[in-house]
Amino acid sequence: MKKYIKLVAISIIMIISYNVQAQQVTGDATETDGTTKIGKKEDVSKSSVLNGTIRVIDNKGTKKFLQVKNGITLLTDTTTDGGIISTWQLGGTLTDSTYIDATNRIFALDGIKLLNPTLTAGEATTAAIASTASNASSHGGTGTGWTVLIRDEATGETKKLLATNLITAGRAEFSIAADGNLTVTATGLAMGTSINKISVYRNGAKLRASVDYSLTAEDTITLNVSATAPNDWTTYAGDLIEVQWIY
């Protein structure tokens, strides 16, 4: 009988010791190895008002927790009539690296500010601009460097563009066939391109935009010659006209 009583006493002490070790009433809901305890039966950690957890029980009465982290904020309102209201909302601190796979879906952000970018000389020389990029690429692949995020104003969809394609340039050369010819063909030069983005050279000498030349039609530059000194000039057979533009 005494041996039986000793066994019962030892068992009770072991149970109490286990419960004391398993119970967590302060601190965060993590194991000593860094893994989460949220949802485990032995987890009885308390919720905090902000950025904490919500304690629930399942249909068998097991205690579990809903945890808030990684950019989601928990706000608890205890002043409302009828009890406590807990709200989860976007906003907060990213505690882990986060990737969203937008394959075959539109990822759109409305309300993005339009900035006038500035780049210092140091940034310009150290920036790692991507030389190649693939459609729908994922992080950790073979690509390196950065591309430019752009926004489709019609749909709001966020897309990417190689920095080298952000500004597209064109160039054309045209030899004057006869004295006085004034029309130059620059294939690829779109009507509506700002004259400030078009440069025209005659035999290597820069002509003045809007004064010595103008964009008169798709792919067409018209030279505006002058007979007034000291700006008098004209074209002669064999003159080489070079047109450069960006858009």
Side-chain angles (χ1 to χ4, degrees):
M1 183 65 179
K2 289 182 179 180
K3 182 183 290 187
Y4 176 77
I5 293 174
K6 287 181 179 181
L7 289 174
V8 171
I10 292 173
S11 299
I12 293 174
I13 292 173
M14 291 177 63
I15 293 172
I16 293 174
S17 176
Y18 171 79
N19 286 337
V20 169
Q21 292 175 1
Q23 188 179 37
Q24 180 182 355
V25 295
T26 61
D28 57 24
T30 56
E31 299 279 15
T32 55
D33 62 355
T35 59
T36 181
K37 288 181 64 175
I38 297 302
K40 294 184 179 180
K41 185 175 181 179
E42 70 272 17
D43 185 3
V44 290
S45 60
K46 296 180 179 179
S47 299
S48 60
V49 175
L50 183 62
N51 289 331
T53 59
I54 299 176
R55 188 168 68 177
V56 298
I57 61 172
D58 63 14
N59 58 0
K60 296 297 183 181
T62 301
K63 295 176 183 178
K64 296 182 178 180
F65 288 81
L66 301 177
Q67 187 181 32
V68 174
K69 61 179 296 185
N70 209 31
I72 304 297
T73 298
L74 170 64
L75 297 177
T76 303
D77 186 355
T78 59
T79 62
T80 58
D81 294 336
I84 298 175
I85 296 178
S86 297
T87 302
W88 287 2
Q89 65 180 25
L90 285 175
T93 301
L94 288 179
T95 57
D96 303 297
S97 297
T98 302
Y99 305 97
I100 298 175
D101 186 354
T103 303
N104 298 323
R105 296 292 185 271
I106 292 177
F107 179 73
L109 298 173
D110 291 339
I112 296 178
K113 292 181 179 179
L114 177 64
L115 303 177
N116 293 318
T118 58
L119 195 63
T120 66
E123 290 172 333
T125 56
T126 59
I129 301 174
S131 58
T132 60
S134 59
N135 183 45
S137 60
S138 300
H139 68 280
T142 57
T144 59
W146 53 266
T147 54
V148 179
L149 289 182
I150 58 174
R151 169 184 163 89
D152 186 330
E153 288 299 317
T155 64
E157 183 177 3
T158 302
K159 300 178 181 179
K160 66 182 179 182
L161 187 68
L162 280 170
T164 52
N165 292 335
L166 185 61
I167 299 178
T168 302
R171 178 182 177 276
E173 285 188 356
F174 184 86
S175 181
I176 298 296
D179 294 353
N181 283 2
L182 303 178
T183 301
V184 177
T185 300
T187 303
L189 179 55
M191 187 62 187
T193 302
S194 172
I195 198 65
N196 297 321
K197 297 181 178 181
I198 304 172
S199 298
V200 178
Y201 302 84
R202 176 185 177 227
N203 298 324
K206 174 72 169 63
L207 301 180
R208 294 176 298 169
S210 297
V211 176
D212 296 328
Y213 62 90
S214 57
L215 177 62
T216 54
E218 193 89 1
D219 300 333
T220 303
I221 288 288
T222 297
L223 303 175
N224 305 322
V225 298
S226 173
T228 304
N231 297 315
D232 51 323
W233 72 285
T234 188
T235 61
Y236 299 99
D239 281 349
L240 184 62
I241 306 299
E242 180 182 2
V243 183
Q244 297 179 358
W245 66 93
I246 59 175
Y247 58 89

